Amino acid sequence: MKLNLNYLQLNESYLFSTIAKKVNAYAEAHPDKKILRMGIGDVTLPLAPAVVTAMQRAAGEMGVKETFRGYGPEQGYPFLKNAVKEYYAKRGISLEEGEIFISDGAKSDVGNILDIFDTANTVLVPDPVYPVYVDTNIMAGRKIIYANATADNGFLPMPDEKTDADLIYICSPNNPTGAAYSVEQLAAWVGYARRRGAVILYDAAYEAFVSEEGLARSIFEVEGAKECAIEFCSLSKTAGFTGTRCGYTVVPHALERDGVSLNKLWLRRQTTKFNGVSYVVQRGAEAVFTEEGMAQVQKNLAVYRRNAAVLADCLDSLGIRYTGGKNSPYIWMECPGFSDSWKFFDYLLEEANVVGTPGSGFGRNGEGFFRLTAFASEEATEEAAQRLKLLLSKA
Ligand code: PLP
């Protein structure tokens, strides 16, 4: 018996536990202070009424002999796959139902997709990064190289022909930097991947936040992407499904390597290791894509967008540089007067009672940066912006 000792190579993830420890210690020592948490990556607004009604109806069906359902198709019910297909079609992207796989969220599939790739592949990951891309590859023992996302490239690294990568992770709009690629920039990545036979793993978990013209919401807006990319998407941030769990992954039929269809491999993987998302949740997800559901979901997204704008305006008025906030719920700011993200964290916590996320927790290039999120309440966001303005204008 041998263990997978690659697990011992994982860095302990101290980021959110250290934040919680520091915040709890401060709160205990200062029970009279109102702490504003602007670091959360979870949504706070409830599910859309159309989603709740659809799930209640579906739960009712499950309690009646005639409409009860047992195991569903592993890759999702056709009613939901068709709704996703229509969602893409409205943006001019034509997909086949068989290219869409319903998932229990983007995190699972971003990790699980690695089952269909050899462990000898070299993986290119941006730095700073959503830690799941790194850790899932360390678990499999793959070689990881980094694409530097810095202020100089607007936190949008572009391909370097000298870099030899087989799997390429792109997250746009990005967590943590909030930066979003244009269709034109993604076309450069698609060209690079196609030239070397690499596969792009495109995380579009925040696509619903894109509002500016010319920025991509899907990699399939780029011609030729179906021959080199897999897209992961989620209803977590789009529709408040973080606790409900539903997403979808697109593996195009045109994506082949060495004459083997990746869609076929993924279908085989899913039918072997996954038994599908619950019927009730899939009915709730279907409701997101109805006219009524979309309008309700957009209302919530508008609140988060306004919050992001409040924070962005505050930083503008202070002359602090940042990315994100316009097409993303994340704002990635420079730590003014601080080169150490954690020192800035302590300063904000102690002097303004505002909590964010130190950029260094997302990778080497995150040092000196700080992530704020738009997911807190409108009141808390307004108050946090005022406190930041007061404190940082003195600095
Ligand atoms: N991808 C990115 C970039 C994320 O930031 C997150 C969650 O924060 C996820 C995926 C996970 O999404 P899900 O809730 O669908 O698993």
Side-chain angles (χ1 to χ4, degrees), residues 287-329:
V288 170
F289 298 103
T290 60
E291 207 173 302
E292 186 193 12
M294 237 340 124
Q296 292 167 351
V297 160
Q298 286 299 332
K299 247 187 178 166
N300 285 0
L301 289 172
V303 171
Y304 299 139
R305 281 203 191 96
R306 263 199 311 278
N307 286 347
V310 165
L311 294 170
D313 287 349
C314 160
L315 297 181
D316 282 336
S317 74
L318 290 163
I320 295 171
R321 288 197 295 180
Y322 64 92
T323 46
K326 281 191 192 74
N327 301 286
S328 159

Side-chain angles (χ1 to χ4, degrees), residues 41-42 103-110 130-133 171-176 203-206 232-237 241-243 245-247 330 371:
D42 198 353
S103 71
D104 63 353
K107 188 178 185 174
S108 321
D109 275 16
V110 161
Y130 175 55
V132 173
Y133 312 151
C171 175
S172 179
N174 190 272
N175 179 13
D203 187 339
Y206 298 96
F232 304 89
C233 207
S234 167
L235 294 180
S236 284
K237 309 298 158 79
F241 269 57
T242 51
R245 311 302 309 147
C246 197
Y330 297 121
R371 192 190 75 172

